[in-house]
Amino acid sequence: MELPEISDFRKLFLKDTPLLDVRAPVEFSAGAFPYTENLPLLEDEERHLIGIRYKENGQEAAIELGRELIDGQPKEERTEAWKAFVDRHPGGALYCFRGGMRSKIAQEWIYEATGIAYPRIKGGYKALRNFLLEEIEVSCQEINPIILGGRTGAGKTLILHELANSIDLEGLAWHRGSAFGRHATPQPTQIDFENRLSIELIKHRAAAHTQLVLEDESKAVGSRHLPPILYETMSASPLVMLDVSLEERIHNSIQEYVIEALQEYQKLYGEETGFDKWAEYATESLQKIRKRLGGVRYKEMNDKLQHAIQVLRKTGKADTHADWISQLLTDYYDPMYDYQLAKKSHRIIYSGNRKQVEEYLR
């Protein structure tokens, strides 16, 4: 019996199809797709040994070693795990690296165990990845971005989340896009970031959102890089500026860098350790920009930060953080912002407060 293959990749991603990835864990960790679970046919060490056998003795010898390594209990355990996935996700599909032997074996074992002809992805991971990379190029030709700019702490992300036709690049890259932008958990890999971004673009095009609102970003968000074609498209797009008071920016920054960041760390590590980890993150983040601040300003701001950390630890009140954050915004971020803005002021088509900008973008 010929078991089914899927080649309509667009439909796959538009429907958030659950995917069973049977590649080795080391391959999966380098890059995968949303809604994907890694249940490998071969573990890393097994794949490594088979690779050596293939190089030394050829394909047949490598296949024979593969059978020896996973026959018996390993086969039973892996088939059981796949059966459970199929039960949870009857509308899903599976893939290996190139849609070859590993996914065919998994497909056959699932069929033998359940009678279900679970589809595999034609061309596997490589075909899906190439499709998404090509779609970034196509999307950049079809969309008309409007870029939302504004000073650090203005609340640009809050506006993006209110709009149906927006993409939160910082959310996809899992970084707040500043010296204090690191989250408690790591950023996705560059491949995962690009895959998620491409899928978002595909979904917006399917919803006929040709005009997309994106935040004004540099080439990199944390340590993840925007695809060059998207960055070039954004750099030539009209700019809408969000103007808010310094007080509002301080309030937003405390909310983001102190309150929400602390909650993230405490959720991950528990109350006490989480607080220590957050305090370490805040201290390290300030230290990273020490050279740019200069020794005197750095010491002044760090003293204020350490005092605010102690107040927060004792009282639970975050207001004291306004002292160092105010100085961070006015002495560090604003001069950089003014320099950058001077180079793109000709692209500004609208400026206003939060309500005005939101209404304009709608």
Side-chain angles (χ1 to χ4, degrees):
M1 178 184 169
E2 189 68 29
L3 293 170
E5 280 187 312
I6 288 177
S7 55
D8 186 347
F9 301 155
R10 187 181 311 280
K11 187 177 174 185
L12 205 69
F13 291 120
L14 284 173
K15 289 193 160 188
D16 294 333
T17 305
L19 297 172
L20 168 57
D21 185 326
V22 301
R23 295 177 302 156
V26 68
E27 295 171 283
F28 180 79
S29 63
F33 311 101
Y35 307 102
T36 303
E37 193 173 331
N38 183 220
L39 297 169
L41 172 69
L42 298 170
E43 294 295 344
D44 292 337
E45 181 61 22
E46 293 164 346
R47 175 175 168 268
H48 177 64
L49 293 171
I50 290 166
I52 292 170
R53 181 68 62 90
Y54 179 82
K55 278 181 187 173
E56 291 174 351
N57 303 103
Q59 188 176 16
E60 280 187 31
I63 290 169
E64 188 55 42
L65 176 61
R67 285 201 189 101
E68 288 171 24
L69 289 172
I70 57 178
D71 201 26
Q73 192 175 349
K75 178 181 175 178
E76 281 176 35
E77 287 171 357
R78 284 162 213 193
T79 306
E80 280 303 312
W82 294 337
K83 275 170 64 182
F85 182 91
V86 170
D87 286 343
R88 291 195 306 274
H89 308 292
L94 64 87
Y95 67 85
C96 64
F97 186 67
R98 288 192 182 87
M101 190 170 291
R102 285 183 287 177
S103 56
K104 284 178 185 174
I105 290 169
Q107 201 178 27
E108 284 164 10
W109 289 2
I110 289 168
Y111 183 70
E112 285 169 13
T114 65
I116 295 167
Y118 209 62
R120 75 177 188 275
I121 305 297
K122 188 173 185 178
Y125 166 84
K126 199 168 184 185
L128 290 176
R129 169 73 175 150
N130 287 339
F131 168 75
L132 290 178
L133 287 175
E134 285 161 15
E135 283 298 303
I136 290 176
E137 301 271 335
V138 174
S139 294
C140 287
Q141 288 161 16
E142 291 188 8
I143 61 166
N144 300 303
I146 288 186
I147 308 304
L148 177 60
R151 295 179 186 276
T152 301
K156 298 181 288 292
T157 305
L158 300 172
I159 288 183
L160 290 179
H161 290 175
E162 293 296 319
L163 302 170
N165 63 325
S166 71
I167 293 180
D168 177 7
L169 294 169
E170 292 180 359
L172 291 178
W174 195 233
H175 196 279
R176 299 182 190 95
S178 67
F180 288 78
R182 180 166 54 89
H183 284 279
T185 49
Q187 287 188 263
T189 64
Q190 180 67 25
I191 289 172
D192 283 354
F193 169 58
E194 290 166 356
N195 288 347
R196 292 174 193 182
L197 172 58
S198 183
I199 293 165
E200 283 290 304
L201 288 165
I202 290 167
K203 287 179 176 180
H204 279 292
R205 279 163 50 212
H209 294 159
T210 49
Q211 196 157 65
L212 277 185
V213 183
L214 302 166
E215 187 172 336
D216 194 14
E217 300 288 357
S218 61
K219 288 182 182 179
V221 184
S223 55
R224 299 296 160 254
H225 295 269
L226 297 182
I229 190 168
L230 177 63
Y231 180 72
E232 285 162 25
T233 305
M234 290 170 64
S235 298
S237 298
L239 201 53
V240 170
M241 300 304 298
L242 175 60
D243 292 325
V244 303
S245 67
L246 178 60
E247 287 69 32
E248 195 173 336
R249 292 169 58 212
I250 292 167
H251 169 80
N252 290 339
S253 299
I254 290 174
Q255 184 63 32
E256 203 170 6
Y257 300 142
V258 180
I259 297 167
E260 289 172 12
L262 176 56
Q263 284 169 354
E264 263 186 40
Y265 278 94
Q266 289 183 323
K267 190 177 177 184
L268 199 61
Y269 297 104
E271 199 165 325
E272 206 170 312
T273 307
F275 192 99
D276 292 340
K277 295 267 187 190
W278 167 78
E280 197 178 297
Y281 137 84
T283 303
E284 281 175 5
S285 299
L286 189 62
Q287 209 162 15
K288 279 180 193 170
I289 56 172
R290 181 176 190 161
K291 277 186 183 175
R292 286 192 184 175
L293 288 170
V296 175
R297 270 194 306 183
Y298 168 74
K299 186 183 183 312
E300 192 183 332
M301 285 173 66
N302 189 51
D303 288 347
K304 288 177 180 177
L305 169 62
Q306 299 311 320
H307 172 65
I309 287 171
Q310 293 313 313
V311 171
L312 182 61
R313 193 191 288 274
K314 286 174 187 170
T315 67
K317 290 180 181 176
D319 319 18
T320 320
H321 285 276
D323 287 349
W324 71 270
I325 284 177
S326 170
Q327 196 173 351
L328 177 75
L329 295 175
T330 54
D331 288 8
Y332 178 70
Y333 284 117
D334 287 357
M336 284 197 300
Y337 174 83
D338 292 336
Y339 173 74
Q340 293 295 333
L341 187 62
K343 295 192 282 187
K344 49 194 172 190
S345 57
H346 62 284
R347 289 167 41 210
I348 298 173
I349 56 168
Y350 187 80
S351 294
N353 62 29
R354 181 174 171 178
K355 189 180 178 187
Q356 290 166 334
V357 165
E358 210 172 296
E359 282 175 8
Y360 178 83
L361 290 172
R362 281 187 196 287

